[in-house]
Amino acid sequence: MTYKTTRRQFIGEASCAAVGSTSLFSTIVNMKMANAIAQTDNTGDDDDYKALVCLFLAGGNDSFNMLVPTSQESYAEYQTIRSDLALAQETLLPLNGTVADGRTFGVHPSMPEVQQLYNNGNLAFVSNVGTLVEPTTLQGFDAGTANLPVGLFSHNDQIEHWQTSVPDKRSGIGWGGRTADLIRGLNSNQNISMNISLSGTNTFQAGTSVVDYAIQSSGTGSVGIERYDAPEGAVDTLKRAALESMLDLEYQNLFEQTFINTKQMSIDNHKQFSGAIAGVAPMTTQFSANEISRSFEMVAKTIAVRQSLGFKRQTFFIMFGGWDHHDEVLNNQMAMLSVVSKALGEFNNAMVELGMLDKVTTFTASDFARTLTSNGRGSDHAWGGNHMVMGGAVSGGQIYGDYPSLYANNSLDTGRGALIPTISCDEYFSELAHWFGVSKGDLSTVFPNIGRFYNTASADLPVGFMAGGNNVPAVPTNPEDLPNKVYLPVMGGNQTKKVALPLAGSALALAASAVAFRANRLKDQDKQ
């Protein structure tokens, strides 16, 4: 009897890799380029280590109540346009110094740690940052001639654009992923991703050859197969023995063998990561008992074991959701900005304790800012907003960019105080990437639109908030340069199209070939 596989069975079989630990998906995708990474000397001293930590405030932070002008005239403008959303002037925590035009500023009253970090020179603000396709004026916006980000004012699109820095199209590849594609060869560990996420799979860390390695904030971070390491009772022991028996077998089917190899690698990676974290000595820095602070604590622990894990470069991603305050913005921000401020203060203290303050830079991102005008008790979706950058390599104690005038109908106001950004995400992020190790010559690879805002041949930095760049040569792992590709048929609707996967002979290429072969068999069966 001829066995006929249905599409549903095929999808079920092909999806089997979803079973097991959270590290499995990270492992299988990171295998894609395992045989194609350019070999570089990564045996330098620990001074070469650098990490970027992204704190994403999902929902759209009302950042013009986070950083507020306190000069008399400027505060009066703020108070008039914000009306019932305006913070009392005497409650704002003063920041040292002034900007170029003499204005003074304060931060939200629930952010004393941020105030101290700024005044001590370890934190800076970057003002009126947002997604831009090109430099944009109010005249072009009103006339409809400006090229605008896809889905402007939409949560889903703007979250994606902030993570990809390609706002003129929808993309699943993030700028952190593209950066990792270039420089991952600096790390001796090519099994565990250099992109570590405390918030699950995300676009920011997704590259062509790299995805995030998802961990959790508790325990030893990495989540393995339930009770595999510590069986409870006879049933668990039998399950473990059965799995190990499967892992020990040799399979003729390429897909099955690749899945088993990947499963074994994910188990090994889990053991390596969790074992390293388990060995971290307790820190004197105390972290608050909330998910954001605990996530920063796990980042600190991971940085502490950077050498034993073989990392010279790492990115970390933490998402803090719930910032879409169409209502009760004052009460919500009082609580949530306090969480952010405490977490940043604690993490800064931990980096001082580890001696890594100059090696780690933390930055904020968010969908967009909020309208300056009130909708009654909240604010709505807007555009450009204010962000924080923290670390020993940051030229802190300053506000970078032009903090805009806040009076109604100013030259940046598209309506209700939704302001056109004056610093693009490309400029903001490219300065971080350059410090991280992306050469100026490679910035256009990571940020395809950067040339519209910044001359990469310039001796100046795009914005100026980092104390200096890093000219470590990038590792050439551009998949377009690889000679071999696997063409995988992807079925959608009534059409089948080929997708080129530049897998360069890795184990996943064999799996892709097997999947493609199986898909073609299904296609032939349908004709019978």
Side-chain angles (χ1 to χ4, degrees):
M1 184 176 75
T2 301
Y3 176 72
K4 185 173 182 178
T5 306
T6 65
R7 280 195 173 85
R8 178 170 295 182
Q9 288 169 326
F10 168 68
I11 292 170
E13 292 170 11
S15 300
C16 63
V19 179
S21 70
T22 58
S23 60
L24 178 57
F25 180 71
S26 301
T27 301
I28 195 168
V29 178
N30 280 314
M31 284 173 63
K32 289 193 299 183
M33 300 279 286
N35 298 328
I37 300 169
Q39 298 300 310
T40 60
D41 179 7
N42 48 30
T43 60
D45 60 32
D46 191 51
D47 287 341
D48 190 36
Y49 177 85
K50 289 186 178 181
L52 286 173
V53 184
C54 175
L55 175 60
F56 200 101
L57 309 180
N61 178 33
D62 193 328
S63 57
F64 286 98
N65 264 17
M66 181 177 71
L67 178 64
V68 182
T70 55
S71 304
Q72 223 32 60
E73 182 179 347
S74 297
Y75 179 81
E77 290 178 353
Y78 160 84
Q79 186 178 43
T80 298
I81 197 166
R82 301 244 65 180
S83 60
D84 62 313
L85 302 183
L87 300 169
Q89 188 174 14
E90 64 274 12
T91 67
L92 297 170
L93 305 179
L95 299 178
N96 291 344
T98 63
V99 297
D101 60 10
R103 286 180 294 172
T104 57
F105 289 83
V107 294
H108 193 281
S110 67
M111 304 184 81
E113 296 84 2
V114 165
Q115 177 200 30
Q116 183 177 7
L117 287 166
Y118 179 96
N119 288 340
N120 288 345
N122 288 327
L123 182 144
F125 284 94
V126 186
S127 185
N128 201 23
V129 185
T131 58
L132 287 172
V133 175
E134 62 185 10
T136 302
T137 65
L138 184 60
Q139 291 75 19
F141 181 91
D142 289 340
T145 58
N147 291 320
L148 301 177
V150 174
L152 184 61
F153 309 126
S154 155
H155 283 296
N156 289 342
D157 286 305
Q158 295 308 302
I159 287 175
E160 179 182 291
H161 298 334
W162 269 85
Q163 294 186 45
T164 67
S165 203
V166 188
D168 46 352
K169 62 181 179 181
R170 294 185 174 97
S171 170
I173 305 298
W175 71 265
R178 291 193 297 272
T179 298
D181 287 340
L182 284 173
I183 67 175
R184 62 177 290 193
L186 297 175
N187 297 323
S188 59
N189 189 336
Q190 294 297 325
N191 294 326
I192 299 175
S193 175
M194 63 175 277
N195 290 348
I196 308 290
S197 174
L198 276 296
S199 300
T201 299
N202 60 86
T203 301
F204 164 62
Q205 294 178 314
T208 302
S209 62
V210 177
V211 294
D212 55 79
Y213 185 83
I215 64 173
Q216 61 183 14
S217 61
S218 59
T220 55
S222 180
V223 182
I225 300 171
E226 186 177 8
R227 294 198 295 273
Y228 177 83
D229 296 321
E232 297 177 5
V235 174
D236 286 345
T237 301
L238 288 172
K239 287 181 178 178
R240 174 171 176 164
L243 177 58
E244 290 178 343
S245 177
M246 291 172 58
L247 295 175
D248 288 339
L249 292 176
E250 296 291 332
Y251 294 86
Q252 295 298 317
N253 182 285
L254 292 176
F255 182 81
E256 291 173 345
Q257 186 62 55
T258 300
F259 171 71
I260 290 298
N261 292 345
T262 304
K263 192 68 175 176
Q264 183 64 65
M265 184 178 289
S266 71
I267 292 172
D268 294 342
N269 290 346
H270 163 65
K271 289 180 178 178
Q272 183 185 15
F273 188 92
S274 58
I277 296 297
V280 176
M283 288 186 286
T284 58
T285 299
Q286 297 296 307
F287 285 84
S288 301
N290 61 68
E291 181 62 21
I292 302 306
S293 283
R294 286 198 298 266
S295 294
F296 273 105
E297 182 178 19
M298 184 56 70
V299 172
K301 289 180 179 179
T302 307
I303 291 172
V305 296
R306 63 199 176 275
Q307 290 176 303
S308 63
L309 289 179
F311 286 112
K312 291 290 188 181
R313 293 292 186 276
Q314 288 181 290
T315 74
F316 297 89
F317 182 80
I318 301 171
M319 180 172 280
F320 185 7
W323 296 85
D324 193 20
H325 298 146
H326 293 280
D327 192 19
E328 296 294 343
V329 63
L330 293 179
N331 292 334
N332 286 323
Q333 275 205 315
M334 184 64 71
M336 296 174 71
L337 286 176
S338 175
V339 170
V340 169
S341 184
K342 283 185 172 64
L344 291 178
E346 292 160 357
F347 186 62
N348 184 80
N349 291 340
M351 293 302 98
V352 172
E353 182 179 345
L354 293 173
M356 298 301 290
L357 187 64
D358 293 342
K359 308 299 181 182
V360 181
T361 299
T362 303
F363 64 98
T364 63
S366 189
D367 325 14
F368 34 62
R370 316 291 295 190
T371 55
L372 295 175
T373 62
S374 172
N375 63 18
R377 298 175 69 178
S379 52
D380 301 316
H381 303 179
W383 199 351
N386 305 308
H387 290 276
M388 296 177 285
V389 189
M390 180 185 79
V394 175
S395 296
Q398 299 185 64
I399 299 172
Y400 293 87
D402 296 323
Y403 190 98
S405 298
L406 302 183
Y407 62 87
N409 301 317
N410 66 62
S411 60
L412 299 174
D413 189 356
T414 64
R416 294 194 55 207
L419 303 179
I420 297 172
T422 47
I423 292 179
S424 66
C425 287
D426 286 294
E427 295 166 284
Y428 179 38
F429 295 147
S430 64
E431 184 150 332
L432 292 166
H434 181 54
W435 170 81
F436 192 56
V438 177
S439 68
K440 287 190 175 182
D442 283 328
L443 285 178
S444 60
T445 299
V446 179
F447 306 99
N449 298 335
I450 186 62
R452 302 172 187 174
F453 307 97
Y454 169 71
N455 180 3
T456 57
S458 171
D460 297 326
L461 294 171
V463 181
F465 55 83
M466 296 304 296
N470 186 323
N471 291 315
V472 173
V475 179
T477 57
N478 184 350
E480 295 303 319
D481 296 334
L482 300 175
N484 299 315
K485 298 182 180 181
V486 171
Y487 288 88
L488 178 66
V490 176
M491 291 171 287
N494 296 321
Q495 296 182 333
T496 301
K497 63 179 181 178
K498 291 182 177 180
V499 176
L501 298 180
L503 306 180
S506 71
L508 191 59
L510 300 178
S513 299
V515 173
F517 174 75
R518 196 159 179 77
N520 287 330
R521 283 187 59 191
L522 288 174
K523 186 177 178 182
D524 292 338
Q525 290 171 2
D526 287 342
K527 294 177 181 178
Q528 295 176 0

